[in-house]
Amino acid sequence: PRRGEGEEAAEMNPVAPNVDPVLAYQEAAKYVNLSLRQFRRVFIDSGALPVVRVSARRPRIRLSDLNACLKARTVTLTEASAR
């Protein structure tokens, strides 16, 4: 690479390890092993997850929000069998 190319590329695409990644609905559905339709019904349409509007046509889900929602919905084996 020519001199200065690496510096410009680093400025244009900075790596920020403390930034919470965002997922498209399809990626989030795959993460929780659900179909896109089921994911939307369970998490989006119910209002269980906040949506980040990257743009009008690009809604995203924060990974930390998805993990927190999953943690809140997690039950022990004894709780699940009592239902």
Side-chain angles (χ1 to χ4, degrees):
R2 286 179 268 160
R3 197 180 92 194
E5 277 185 357
E7 294 167 9
E8 289 175 21
E11 289 175 14
M12 291 175 54
N13 189 11
V15 177
N18 59 349
V19 172
D20 192 10
V22 291
L23 306 174
Y25 287 175
Q26 185 66 44
E27 295 169 318
K30 188 175 181 180
Y31 182 78
V32 294
N33 199 26
L34 292 175
S35 69
L36 178 58
R37 183 177 180 182
Q38 186 68 17
F39 175 80
R40 289 181 71 118
R41 187 179 311 131
V42 171
F43 292 100
I44 304 304
D45 297 343
S46 69
L49 276 174
V51 175
V52 177
R53 292 274 176 201
V54 176
S55 72
R57 294 182 180 208
R58 296 179 58 138
R60 296 291 187 255
I61 303 296
R62 282 188 188 97
L63 183 57
S64 62
D65 290 339
L66 181 56
N67 284 328
C69 187
L70 291 172
K71 186 175 180 180
R73 290 171 174 251
T74 302
V75 296
T76 63
L77 184 59
T78 55
E79 291 174 21
S81 62
R83 294 180 178 186

